[in-house]
mmCIF file of all heavy atoms in Angstrom:
data_model
loop_
_atom_site.group_PDB
_atom_site.id
_atom_site.type_symbol
_atom_site.label_atom_id
_atom_site.label_comp_id
_atom_site.label_asym_id
_atom_site.label_seq_id
_atom_site.Cartn_x
_atom_site.Cartn_y
_atom_site.Cartn_z
ATOM 1 N N TYR A 1370 45.714 -14.322 -49.860
ATOM 2 C CA TYR A 1370 44.331 -13.994 -49.319
ATOM 3 C C TYR A 1370 44.305 -14.200 -47.868
ATOM 4 O O TYR A 1370 44.714 -15.311 -47.326
ATOM 5 C CB TYR A 1370 43.315 -14.871 -49.992
ATOM 6 C CG TYR A 1370 43.366 -14.804 -51.491
ATOM 7 C CD1 TYR A 1370 44.038 -15.875 -52.232
ATOM 8 C CD2 TYR A 1370 42.811 -13.838 -52.296
ATOM 9 C CE1 TYR A 1370 44.173 -15.861 -53.626
ATOM 10 C CE2 TYR A 1370 42.870 -13.796 -53.647
ATOM 11 C CZ TYR A 1370 43.616 -14.812 -54.297
ATOM 12 O OH TYR A 1370 43.638 -14.866 -55.746
ATOM 13 N N VAL A 1371 43.954 -13.189 -47.128
ATOM 14 C CA VAL A 1371 43.969 -13.210 -45.671
ATOM 15 C C VAL A 1371 42.707 -13.714 -45.135
ATOM 16 O O VAL A 1371 41.594 -13.217 -45.525
ATOM 17 C CB VAL A 1371 44.295 -11.778 -45.054
ATOM 18 C CG1 VAL A 1371 43.983 -11.731 -43.627
ATOM 19 C CG2 VAL A 1371 45.815 -11.487 -45.326
ATOM 20 N N ASP A 1372 42.754 -14.612 -44.090
ATOM 21 C CA ASP A 1372 41.587 -15.083 -43.345
ATOM 22 C C ASP A 1372 41.282 -13.925 -42.291
ATOM 23 O O ASP A 1372 42.058 -13.738 -41.327
ATOM 24 C CB ASP A 1372 41.894 -16.343 -42.677
ATOM 25 C CG ASP A 1372 40.619 -17.007 -42.136
ATOM 26 O OD1 ASP A 1372 39.645 -16.361 -42.110
ATOM 27 O OD2 ASP A 1372 40.707 -18.257 -41.730
ATOM 28 N N ALA A 1373 40.280 -13.115 -42.624
ATOM 29 C CA ALA A 1373 40.033 -11.947 -41.729
ATOM 30 C C ALA A 1373 38.955 -12.239 -40.699
ATOM 31 O O ALA A 1373 37.787 -12.460 -41.044
ATOM 32 C CB ALA A 1373 39.576 -10.752 -42.626
ATOM 33 N N VAL A 1374 39.332 -12.123 -39.471
ATOM 34 C CA VAL A 1374 38.447 -12.318 -38.318
ATOM 35 C C VAL A 1374 37.975 -10.958 -37.816
ATOM 36 O O VAL A 1374 38.799 -10.379 -37.007
ATOM 37 C CB VAL A 1374 39.137 -13.194 -37.290
ATOM 38 C CG1 VAL A 1374 38.108 -13.474 -36.087
ATOM 39 C CG2 VAL A 1374 39.703 -14.468 -37.784
ATOM 40 N N VAL A 1375 36.909 -10.523 -38.167
ATOM 41 C CA VAL A 1375 36.411 -9.162 -37.918
ATOM 42 C C VAL A 1375 35.055 -9.149 -37.232
ATOM 43 O O VAL A 1375 34.578 -8.071 -36.744
ATOM 44 C CB VAL A 1375 36.423 -8.189 -39.079
ATOM 45 C CG1 VAL A 1375 37.874 -8.036 -39.633
ATOM 46 C CG2 VAL A 1375 35.562 -8.819 -40.150
ATOM 47 N N ASN A 1376 34.357 -10.275 -37.149
ATOM 48 C CA ASN A 1376 33.008 -10.257 -36.516
ATOM 49 C C ASN A 1376 33.078 -10.073 -35.041
ATOM 50 O O ASN A 1376 32.191 -9.545 -34.443
ATOM 51 C CB ASN A 1376 32.331 -11.658 -36.764
ATOM 52 C CG ASN A 1376 31.116 -11.895 -35.972
ATOM 53 O OD1 ASN A 1376 30.071 -11.205 -36.210
ATOM 54 N ND2 ASN A 1376 31.170 -12.850 -35.118
ATOM 55 N N HIS A 1377 34.253 -10.432 -34.378
ATOM 56 C CA HIS A 1377 34.292 -10.542 -32.930
ATOM 57 C C HIS A 1377 35.698 -10.304 -32.426
ATOM 58 O O HIS A 1377 36.677 -10.293 -33.234
ATOM 59 C CB HIS A 1377 33.823 -11.911 -32.427
ATOM 60 C CG HIS A 1377 34.494 -13.079 -33.151
ATOM 61 N ND1 HIS A 1377 33.954 -13.703 -34.194
ATOM 62 C CD2 HIS A 1377 35.690 -13.600 -32.834
ATOM 63 C CE1 HIS A 1377 34.797 -14.644 -34.565
ATOM 64 N NE2 HIS A 1377 35.917 -14.579 -33.857
ATOM 65 N N MET A 1378 35.886 -10.253 -31.139
ATOM 66 C CA MET A 1378 37.222 -10.295 -30.563
ATOM 67 C C MET A 1378 37.195 -11.583 -29.759
ATOM 68 O O MET A 1378 36.648 -12.553 -30.192
ATOM 69 C CB MET A 1378 37.378 -9.073 -29.599
ATOM 70 C CG MET A 1378 37.275 -7.703 -30.345
ATOM 71 S SD MET A 1378 38.491 -7.518 -31.614
ATOM 72 C CE MET A 1378 40.031 -7.183 -30.721
ATOM 73 N N CYS A 1379 38.080 -11.698 -28.747
ATOM 74 C CA CYS A 1379 38.176 -12.965 -27.981
ATOM 75 C C CYS A 1379 37.001 -13.379 -27.144
ATOM 76 O O CYS A 1379 36.004 -12.631 -27.167
ATOM 77 C CB CYS A 1379 39.477 -13.052 -27.139
ATOM 78 S SG CYS A 1379 39.247 -11.897 -25.597
ATOM 79 N N GLY A 1380 36.959 -14.556 -26.607
ATOM 80 C CA GLY A 1380 35.908 -15.017 -25.911
ATOM 81 C C GLY A 1380 35.635 -14.275 -24.548
ATOM 82 O O GLY A 1380 36.605 -13.836 -23.950
ATOM 83 N N ASN A 1381 34.412 -14.187 -24.060
ATOM 84 C CA ASN A 1381 34.180 -13.547 -22.754
ATOM 85 C C ASN A 1381 34.654 -14.241 -21.538
ATOM 86 O O ASN A 1381 34.734 -13.683 -20.481
ATOM 87 C CB ASN A 1381 32.658 -13.236 -22.672
ATOM 88 C CG ASN A 1381 31.857 -14.465 -22.516
ATOM 89 O OD1 ASN A 1381 32.235 -15.472 -23.094
ATOM 90 N ND2 ASN A 1381 30.739 -14.512 -21.876
ATOM 91 N N GLY A 1382 35.106 -15.498 -21.755
ATOM 92 C CA GLY A 1382 35.652 -16.258 -20.606
ATOM 93 C C GLY A 1382 37.083 -16.185 -20.387
ATOM 94 O O GLY A 1382 37.665 -16.749 -19.483
ATOM 95 N N VAL A 1383 37.782 -15.503 -21.314
ATOM 96 C CA VAL A 1383 39.254 -15.383 -21.258
ATOM 97 C C VAL A 1383 39.663 -14.311 -20.196
ATOM 98 O O VAL A 1383 39.014 -13.337 -20.047
ATOM 99 C CB VAL A 1383 39.849 -14.950 -22.659
ATOM 100 C CG1 VAL A 1383 41.309 -14.779 -22.528
ATOM 101 C CG2 VAL A 1383 39.469 -15.924 -23.703
ATOM 102 N N SER A 1384 40.656 -14.685 -19.431
ATOM 103 C CA SER A 1384 41.128 -13.813 -18.290
ATOM 104 C C SER A 1384 41.776 -12.640 -18.814
ATOM 105 O O SER A 1384 42.528 -12.615 -19.858
ATOM 106 C CB SER A 1384 42.092 -14.544 -17.372
ATOM 107 O OG SER A 1384 41.440 -15.673 -16.737
ATOM 108 N N ALA A 1385 41.585 -11.529 -18.152
ATOM 109 C CA ALA A 1385 42.276 -10.207 -18.569
ATOM 110 C C ALA A 1385 43.747 -10.360 -18.327
ATOM 111 O O ALA A 1385 44.239 -11.205 -17.500
ATOM 112 C CB ALA A 1385 41.723 -9.093 -17.688
ATOM 113 N N GLY A 1386 44.541 -9.632 -19.182
ATOM 114 C CA GLY A 1386 45.949 -9.625 -18.948
ATOM 115 C C GLY A 1386 46.720 -9.343 -20.252
ATOM 116 O O GLY A 1386 46.184 -8.697 -21.212
ATOM 117 N N THR A 1387 47.878 -9.947 -20.384
ATOM 118 C CA THR A 1387 48.678 -9.686 -21.543
ATOM 119 C C THR A 1387 49.057 -10.954 -22.218
ATOM 120 O O THR A 1387 50.131 -11.088 -23.001
ATOM 121 C CB THR A 1387 50.030 -8.873 -21.276
ATOM 122 O OG1 THR A 1387 50.722 -9.661 -20.184
ATOM 123 C CG2 THR A 1387 49.645 -7.488 -20.742
ATOM 124 N N SER A 1388 48.312 -12.045 -22.004
ATOM 125 C CA SER A 1388 48.508 -13.356 -22.621
ATOM 126 C C SER A 1388 48.041 -13.335 -24.077
ATOM 127 O O SER A 1388 46.982 -13.904 -24.465
ATOM 128 C CB SER A 1388 47.860 -14.502 -21.829
ATOM 129 O OG SER A 1388 48.253 -15.728 -22.297
ATOM 130 N N SER A 1389 48.820 -12.616 -24.888
ATOM 131 C CA SER A 1389 48.476 -12.512 -26.330
ATOM 132 C C SER A 1389 49.755 -12.587 -27.125
ATOM 133 O O SER A 1389 50.898 -12.470 -26.536
ATOM 134 C CB SER A 1389 47.752 -11.245 -26.486
ATOM 135 O OG SER A 1389 48.546 -10.144 -26.012
ATOM 136 N N THR A 1390 49.630 -12.756 -28.418
ATOM 137 C CA THR A 1390 50.878 -13.088 -29.206
ATOM 138 C C THR A 1390 51.735 -11.888 -29.454
ATOM 139 O O THR A 1390 52.865 -12.008 -29.902
ATOM 140 C CB THR A 1390 50.341 -13.611 -30.685
ATOM 141 O OG1 THR A 1390 49.398 -12.702 -31.154
ATOM 142 C CG2 THR A 1390 49.864 -15.000 -30.538
ATOM 143 N N CYS A 1391 51.302 -10.710 -29.068
ATOM 144 C CA CYS A 1391 52.060 -9.529 -29.134
ATOM 145 C C CYS A 1391 52.325 -8.865 -27.781
ATOM 146 O O CYS A 1391 52.930 -7.800 -27.624
ATOM 147 C CB CYS A 1391 51.577 -8.560 -30.139
ATOM 148 S SG CYS A 1391 52.793 -7.760 -31.187
ATOM 149 N N GLY A 1392 51.680 -9.445 -26.693
ATOM 150 C CA GLY A 1392 51.787 -8.912 -25.413
ATOM 151 C C GLY A 1392 50.830 -7.772 -25.089
ATOM 152 O O GLY A 1392 51.105 -7.071 -24.016
ATOM 153 N N SER A 1393 49.901 -7.417 -25.949
ATOM 154 C CA SER A 1393 48.997 -6.377 -25.683
ATOM 155 C C SER A 1393 48.076 -6.669 -24.523
ATOM 156 O O SER A 1393 47.526 -7.834 -24.406
ATOM 157 C CB SER A 1393 48.181 -6.015 -26.940
ATOM 158 O OG SER A 1393 48.986 -5.582 -27.930
ATOM 159 N N TYR A 1394 47.805 -5.639 -23.702
ATOM 160 C CA TYR A 1394 46.818 -5.838 -22.641
ATOM 161 C C TYR A 1394 45.403 -5.840 -23.098
ATOM 162 O O TYR A 1394 45.090 -5.227 -24.158
ATOM 163 C CB TYR A 1394 46.921 -4.655 -21.611
ATOM 164 C CG TYR A 1394 45.863 -4.715 -20.562
ATOM 165 C CD1 TYR A 1394 45.959 -5.616 -19.484
ATOM 166 C CD2 TYR A 1394 44.655 -3.936 -20.621
ATOM 167 C CE1 TYR A 1394 44.942 -5.696 -18.451
ATOM 168 C CE2 TYR A 1394 43.734 -4.002 -19.669
ATOM 169 C CZ TYR A 1394 43.871 -4.866 -18.595
ATOM 170 O OH TYR A 1394 42.826 -5.023 -17.664
ATOM 171 N N PHE A 1395 44.550 -6.655 -22.472
ATOM 172 C CA PHE A 1395 43.052 -6.746 -22.825
ATOM 173 C C PHE A 1395 42.323 -7.150 -21.659
ATOM 174 O O PHE A 1395 42.769 -7.911 -20.765
ATOM 175 C CB PHE A 1395 42.834 -7.614 -24.083
ATOM 176 C CG PHE A 1395 43.163 -9.069 -23.762
ATOM 177 C CD1 PHE A 1395 42.250 -9.985 -23.440
ATOM 178 C CD2 PHE A 1395 44.564 -9.578 -23.896
ATOM 179 C CE1 PHE A 1395 42.607 -11.396 -23.177
ATOM 180 C CE2 PHE A 1395 44.838 -10.888 -23.652
ATOM 181 C CZ PHE A 1395 43.936 -11.757 -23.321
ATOM 182 N N ASN A 1396 41.063 -6.787 -21.680
ATOM 183 C CA ASN A 1396 40.181 -7.171 -20.559
ATOM 184 C C ASN A 1396 38.791 -7.481 -21.096
ATOM 185 O O ASN A 1396 37.944 -6.594 -21.337
ATOM 186 C CB ASN A 1396 40.046 -6.064 -19.498
ATOM 187 C CG ASN A 1396 39.339 -6.523 -18.198
ATOM 188 O OD1 ASN A 1396 38.553 -7.466 -18.336
ATOM 189 N ND2 ASN A 1396 39.480 -5.902 -17.094
ATOM 190 N N PRO A 1397 38.520 -8.711 -21.338
ATOM 191 C CA PRO A 1397 37.145 -9.175 -22.027
ATOM 192 C C PRO A 1397 36.116 -8.754 -21.144
ATOM 193 O O PRO A 1397 34.948 -8.370 -21.578
ATOM 194 C CB PRO A 1397 37.299 -10.583 -22.164
ATOM 195 C CG PRO A 1397 38.667 -10.921 -22.144
ATOM 196 C CD PRO A 1397 39.294 -9.896 -21.278
ATOM 197 N N GLY A 1398 36.180 -8.822 -19.710
ATOM 198 C CA GLY A 1398 35.117 -8.535 -18.853
ATOM 199 C C GLY A 1398 34.607 -7.113 -18.927
ATOM 200 O O GLY A 1398 33.419 -6.846 -18.772
ATOM 201 N N THR A 1399 35.483 -6.198 -19.132
ATOM 202 C CA THR A 1399 35.224 -4.680 -19.287
ATOM 203 C C THR A 1399 35.091 -4.308 -20.773
ATOM 204 O O THR A 1399 34.889 -3.075 -21.100
ATOM 205 C CB THR A 1399 36.097 -3.808 -18.505
ATOM 206 O OG1 THR A 1399 37.442 -4.049 -19.054
ATOM 207 C CG2 THR A 1399 36.129 -4.159 -17.085
ATOM 208 N N ARG A 1400 35.324 -5.312 -21.697
ATOM 209 C CA ARG A 1400 35.271 -5.023 -23.161
ATOM 210 C C ARG A 1400 36.322 -4.038 -23.478
ATOM 211 O O ARG A 1400 36.172 -3.108 -24.404
ATOM 212 C CB ARG A 1400 34.012 -4.558 -23.606
ATOM 213 C CG ARG A 1400 32.732 -5.324 -23.241
ATOM 214 C CD ARG A 1400 32.727 -6.797 -23.662
ATOM 215 N NE ARG A 1400 31.535 -7.513 -23.465
ATOM 216 C CZ ARG A 1400 31.394 -8.445 -22.523
ATOM 217 N NH1 ARG A 1400 32.374 -8.859 -21.733
ATOM 218 N NH2 ARG A 1400 30.245 -9.183 -22.495
ATOM 219 N N ASP A 1401 37.436 -4.097 -22.884
ATOM 220 C CA ASP A 1401 38.632 -3.219 -23.063
ATOM 221 C C ASP A 1401 39.703 -3.811 -23.910
ATOM 222 O O ASP A 1401 40.396 -4.715 -23.516
ATOM 223 C CB ASP A 1401 39.074 -2.805 -21.708
ATOM 224 C CG ASP A 1401 40.152 -1.665 -21.827
ATOM 225 O OD1 ASP A 1401 40.038 -0.865 -22.787
ATOM 226 O OD2 ASP A 1401 40.941 -1.491 -20.929
#
């Protein structure tokens, strides 16, 4: 049984970049 986190993405205070477990780019400030 998987713990499914689908209500939200990361916090709005996290810096943009590729600091993620698979190296994907993201930008919380622009919701990208």
